[in-house]
Amino acid sequence: MEVLKIATAGSVDDGKSTLIGRLLYDTKSMTDDKLEAIERTSKQKGYDYLDFSLATDGLVAEREQGITIDVAHIYFSTPSKSYIIADTPGHVEYTRNMVTGASTSQASIILIDARKGVIEQTHRHFFINNLLRIKDVIVAINKMDLVDFSEETYNTIKADFQELMKKRDYQDQNITFIPVSALKGDNVVNRSGNTPWYNGQTLLEHLEELDQKDIYNTGTPRFPVQYVIRPKTEDFHDFRGFAGKVYGGELNVGDEVVVLPSMTKSRIKDIYFYNKQYKTAPRRSSVTITLEDEVNVSRGDMLVKVGDLPTIDKQLTATVSWMDSASFTPGGKYVLQHGVNKVLAKVDAIEHKIHPDYSGIEENVSSLQMNDIAKVRLRLNKPIFYDKFKEHRTNGSFIIIDSRTNNTAGVGFIE
Amino acid sequence: MNGVDRPSANALEHEAIYIMREVAAQFEKPVLLFSGGKDSITLVRLAQKAFWPAKIPFPLMHIDTGHNFPETIEFRDRLVEELGVELIVRNVQDSIDEGKVVEETGKYASRNMLQTTTLLDAIEEFKFDACIGGARRDEEKARAKERIFSVRDDFGQWDEKNQRPELFDMLNGQIEMGQNVRVFPISNWTELDVWSYIQKENIEIPSIYFAHKRKTFLRDGLIWSAEDEVVFRAEDEKVEERMVRFRTVGDMSCTAAVESHADTIDKVVAEIRNSRISERGARIDDKRSEAAMEKRKQQGYF
Ligand SMILES: Nc1nc2c(ncn2[C@@H]2O[C@H](COP(=O)(O)OP(=O)(O)O)[C@@H](O)[C@H]2O)c(=O)[nH]1
């Protein structure tokens, strides 16, 4: 079954939790025991409607604070697709969580409260969706019931958002506007009789129609080797399989490949998935590849097609989103993990900080704090084999690990 | 070549295999926690796929509550034999006998909580640095935030406020001495995904997952097995024979059955598809308190 991961963004109280609860409820994905719990709690709180937001608000600590503080995953499915929603909070200080949720998503929903319209937060949400190059973005204009389902309000908000879209760097993004009421259910799963002026799809209809080509940017195939399989059994005495996941494009038996960094050429002999052989290893499949020649390959090496080399370099410029409480400073030393490959990295310079609300850049910054986004230059102890993030979402990104704490301290998008 | 050009496009399966391989590559002493339930059986199949034609490069470990359905133990031993992998068993009973934990008493007594101590001791004994488990984020709200690589401190504790962000496919398994990582390759699967996979792959599972006749009694609206001594039953709780199956196979004393006529995998999948009760709805210890799972996790439970 097809799986679609969706990130959500909205400010506190825009109705994100309610929208997710509504999706679960109207797709009949909410189980009776969960629904009962919601009915019970809604009654206890004295509400005269069902508080669907209770379907997502997880941890005890959060319930005390009354907000969602991290990335939570919610699951629901229709007969044609499995959906995973990465619910990320709307607070300014949680840029980090939004970036995290967006990194694994193929689509995203930006929520706007129809009474408030496009606000500074919306700029940030859109900025991050753009930075992460999410292909399909849905702008859900929520709480339409509170503005009498006014077409004019909807159009004003849409026009404001289109103004914001002029600032975007990633032009290829598909953006859809939908007027909804999460609380009442208008245009979420079912078409609303309250918006006769709206001819578009409901939120779910839109998601159901998204197809692989709408959500993945195609690129060139990259095969980072995760693990070398050498069974050393009688039946497979000479078997040397390179296990990994294919990114960007597909690989085929017979393809001429180059092994990086040794630059050795060979040809793909067999493609295995478990105990069967296939002609093609599609994008995002976890396969095992054998080569025609005996080539020395180890974890962190990469197979690419001849004539299709990535950049091989020890220096790079990247946009970094910093996620750690310890600051990022020039001269600082880190471990850089690029796919499954780890190298040491030194910060050469912070070129400038980027305000994630499109309000410009800031030069002469001495360090980065949690939730900062900046353009930086890094020097590595060994070359890595990368593409620009623009051209390859997987091979153009890396994480930064603080070797003192082992924490994942930041993520980078290579220029 | 077998007529089909490309492997099936089950994104969840490819993701889980990727995670298995990251574990084998990033850790020195991983172990797969095996309970005999459908989730851990699924993990075993995924591990087989990840490393074929080599054997699974880590042992399986069963933390035995002593309250297992006999069918699960038979099943476990047969599977391990077939795979040719090492099986480690550590018993909750031993932790009780050594006085490390005290058996719960009363109507809702179970050994689920006690497993934690036995597990942590076993991790210490074997110096495991990664434990692969079959937990899924859809099981419970407190699990919804669990990472794929979830770092635990020396005391097995989970600090939900201080978890590493996981970006794209990149998994950071760097840890300090004494720390270990719980790994959840099927994090993103739902109960239905697991059942559909078992169906498609034709994976054998213990018979108690299928509808069968069993002596049972009712309590708190749930159906309990009356055939097994470890399940507490009060005098006035009437025993009746019912067609039932189990949706999870944890500690027998706290795993309720559901009424069902689904005696084949196809029927089970169809039933789950239409089911309106989550699988944990039938596990009494989660009902004790809404925050039960979260508290247990902070104490090192899976
Ligand atoms: N009238 C109306 N209220 C809504 C709608 N969506 C959400 N709300 C209410 O707005 C408040 C905040 O919603 P919630 O889902 O908790 O927001 P979150 O902070 O974005 O998750 C709650 O009281 C909801 O009942 C809507 O479409 N119409």
Side-chain angles (χ1 to χ4, degrees), chain A residues 1 3 5 28-35 37 40-41 54-63 65 68-73 75 77 82 84 96 99-100 103-104 132 226-227 229-231 233 236 239 243-245 247 250 253 270 272-282 284-288 299 323 335 337-340 342 389 393-394 397-399 401-408 410-411 413, chain B residues 1-26 45 48-55 57 136-148 151 158 160-177 179 186-190 192-193 196-197 201 247 273 275-282 287 290-292 294-295 297:
Chain A
M1 187 137 77
V3 180
K5 288 195 190 169
K28 310 216 166 9
S29 308
M30 207 180 276
T31 52
D32 284 344
D33 47 335
K34 281 193 186 140
L35 189 58
R40 204 176 336 116
T41 321
L54 298 166
T56 60
D57 275 358
L59 299 183
V60 179
E62 284 182 8
R63 223 165 300 153
Q65 291 176 33
T68 345
I69 51 172
D70 195 84
V71 183
H73 297 83
Y75 301 80
S77 58
S82 288
I84 304 174
R96 136 195 167 131
V99 169
T100 306
S103 75
T104 52
L132 274 290
Q226 271 186 284
Y227 192 82
I229 296 177
R230 300 214 56 179
T233 55
F236 295 95
F239 187 95
K245 202 164 164 187
Y247 295 101
E250 56 185 46
V253 168
D270 291 310
Y272 289 92
F273 180 68
Y274 193 26
N275 51 10
K276 294 209 172 64
Q277 284 168 264
Y278 297 91
K279 198 174 146 289
T280 302
R284 305 197 76 76
S285 62
S286 286
V287 294
T288 301
R299 176 174 164 89
M323 308 185 148
V335 173
Q337 183 174 343
H338 173 242
V340 300
K342 278 185 188 170
F389 185 68
R393 239 182 138 202
T394 317
S397 52
F398 58 81
I399 55 173
I401 299 169
D402 184 331
S403 34
R404 291 164 307 175
T405 60
N406 292 323
N407 281 339
T408 303
V411 59
F413 313 103
Chain B
M1 217 72 36
N2 58 351
V4 191
D5 269 6
R6 49 185 67 217
S8 81
N10 181 348
L12 296 172
E13 183 185 35
H14 291 288
E15 176 184 75
I17 291 173
Y18 170 84
I19 296 164
M20 288 286 181
R21 290 165 168 176
E22 280 305 285
V23 175
Q26 291 198 38
R45 170 57 58 93
Q48 274 180 289
K49 288 199 171 192
F51 304 105
W52 188 93
K55 270 188 204 159
R136 307 188 320 268
R137 286 175 183 148
D138 86 317
E139 282 178 87
E140 221 211 319
K141 283 194 281 187
R143 287 217 194 266
K145 289 168 195 212
E146 187 69 84
R147 298 300 195 262
I148 289 170
V151 182
W158 182 70
E160 89 279 350
K161 290 229 181 62
N162 193 17
Q163 292 200 77
R164 293 176 183 174
E166 289 182 339
L167 295 127
F168 300 98
D169 272 2
M170 287 174 276
L171 296 168
N172 170 9
Q174 278 188 217
I175 47 171
E176 273 168 50
M177 278 285 282
Q179 286 183 323
I186 57 168
S187 242
N188 280 326
W189 299 41
T190 61
L192 180 59
D193 290 326
S196 309
Y197 190 69
E201 292 283 316
R247 282 176 79 171
R273 213 178 274 282
S275 168
R276 307 278 293 129
I277 297 179
S278 66
E279 93 200 274
R280 280 189 180 266
K287 286 212 162 171
E290 251 215 83
E294 198 171 328
K295 287 206 191 106
K297 274 174 59 168

Side-chain angles (χ1 to χ4, degrees), chain A residues 112-119 122-123 139-142 144 147 149-166 177-179 197:
Chain A
I112 296 179
D113 183 331
R115 297 170 303 176
K116 297 186 200 149
V118 174
I119 54 174
T122 319
H123 291 231
V139 182
I141 300 172
N142 189 33
M144 286 301 293
V147 296
F149 295 97
S150 153
E151 181 180 11
E152 201 189 325
T153 306
Y154 170 80
N155 282 335
T156 311
I157 294 171
K158 186 171 164 182
D160 287 349
F161 198 95
Q162 280 164 336
E163 202 51 41
L164 176 62
M165 280 159 57
K166 289 183 185 156
F177 297 88
I178 307 179
W197 42 266

Side-chain angles (χ1 to χ4, degrees), chain B residues 3-247:
Chain B
V4 191
D5 269 6
R6 49 185 67 217
S8 81
N10 181 348
L12 296 172
E13 183 185 35
H14 291 288
E15 176 184 75
I17 291 173
Y18 170 84
I19 296 164
M20 288 286 181
R21 290 165 168 176
E22 280 305 285
V23 175
Q26 291 198 38
F27 298 94
E28 273 165 35
K29 269 212 102 179
V31 65
L32 191 153
L33 296 185
F34 186 80
S35 69
K38 64 174 193 315
D39 296 317
S40 53
I41 293 169
T42 300
L43 286 182
V44 168
R45 170 57 58 93
L46 291 163
Q48 274 180 289
K49 288 199 171 192
F51 304 105
W52 188 93
K55 270 188 204 159
I56 298 173
F58 35 75
L60 311 188
M61 179 162 76
H62 184 202
I63 301 299
D64 190 342
T65 58
H67 288 176
N68 298 288
F69 293 94
E71 293 92 331
T72 11
I73 298 297
E74 279 162 34
F75 183 90
R76 175 195 80 189
D77 293 342
R78 201 150 31 86
L79 183 71
V80 167
E81 170 103 33
E82 276 168 28
L83 294 171
V85 294
E86 185 194 354
L87 172 74
I88 298 165
V89 181
R90 284 296 174 269
N91 297 297
V92 172
Q93 188 63 50
D94 293 340
S95 305
I96 296 171
D97 294 347
E98 287 160 23
K100 286 180 171 159
V101 292
V102 180
E103 183 102 78
E104 294 180 8
T105 53
K107 208 168 168 183
Y108 295 111
S110 95
R111 286 183 168 180
N112 257 0
M113 299 279 273
L114 309 187
Q115 282 181 69
T116 307
T117 304
T118 316
L119 171 64
L120 295 182
D121 286 349
I123 291 173
E124 179 101 23
E125 179 188 346
F126 293 96
K127 305 272 177 278
F128 289 128
D129 52 2
C131 302
I132 304 169
R136 307 188 320 268
R137 286 175 183 148
D138 86 317
E139 282 178 87
E140 221 211 319
K141 283 194 281 187
R143 287 217 194 266
K145 289 168 195 212
E146 187 69 84
R147 298 300 195 262
I148 289 170
F149 274 15
S150 180
V151 182
R152 306 297 162 105
D153 63 18
D154 302 30
F155 305 98
Q157 293 212 333
W158 182 70
D159 177 2
E160 89 279 350
K161 290 229 181 62
N162 193 17
Q163 292 200 77
R164 293 176 183 174
E166 289 182 339
L167 295 127
F168 300 98
D169 272 2
M170 287 174 276
L171 296 168
N172 170 9
Q174 278 188 217
I175 47 171
E176 273 168 50
M177 278 285 282
Q179 286 183 323
N180 60 78
V181 172
R182 304 289 163 86
V183 182
F184 304 109
I186 57 168
S187 242
N188 280 326
W189 299 41
T190 61
E191 186 187 12
L192 180 59
D193 290 326
V194 172
W195 281 109
S196 309
Y197 190 69
I198 290 169
Q199 179 186 34
K200 200 186 131 264
E201 292 283 316
N202 215 347
I203 301 173
E204 204 191 328
I205 51 171
S207 55
I208 49 166
Y209 279 115
F210 300 110
H212 56 280
K213 275 208 184 110
R214 189 177 274 264
K215 291 204 179 73
T216 56
F217 66 93
L218 287 181
R219 179 195 304 148
D220 303 332
L222 299 173
I223 303 167
W224 302 92
S225 175
E227 283 177 13
D228 307 279
E229 258 175 46
V230 300
V231 186
F232 175 92
R233 182 172 60 87
E235 293 272 313
D236 58 347
E237 289 173 318
K238 202 167 105 242
V239 177
E240 270 176 84
E241 201 171 66
R242 291 185 176 83
M243 272 301 266
V244 296
R245 62 179 195 84
F246 292 88
R247 282 176 79 171

Side-chain angles (χ1 to χ4, degrees), chain A residues 9-21 47 49-54 56-57 66-68 87-88 90 111 113 115 141-146 180-186 188:
Chain A
S11 307
V12 179
D13 283 346
D14 281 353
K16 217 150 38 79
S17 314
T18 309
L19 182 72
I20 294 169
Y47 298 153
Y49 53 87
L50 291 182
D51 187 355
F52 290 127
S53 65
L54 298 166
T56 60
D57 275 358
I67 50 160
T68 345
D87 183 24
T88 52
L111 240 82
D113 183 331
R115 297 170 303 176
I141 300 172
N142 189 33
K143 305 199 185 182
M144 286 301 293
D145 56 307
L146 297 180
V180 304
S181 167
L183 192 67
K184 306 281 166 69
D186 301 77
V188 179

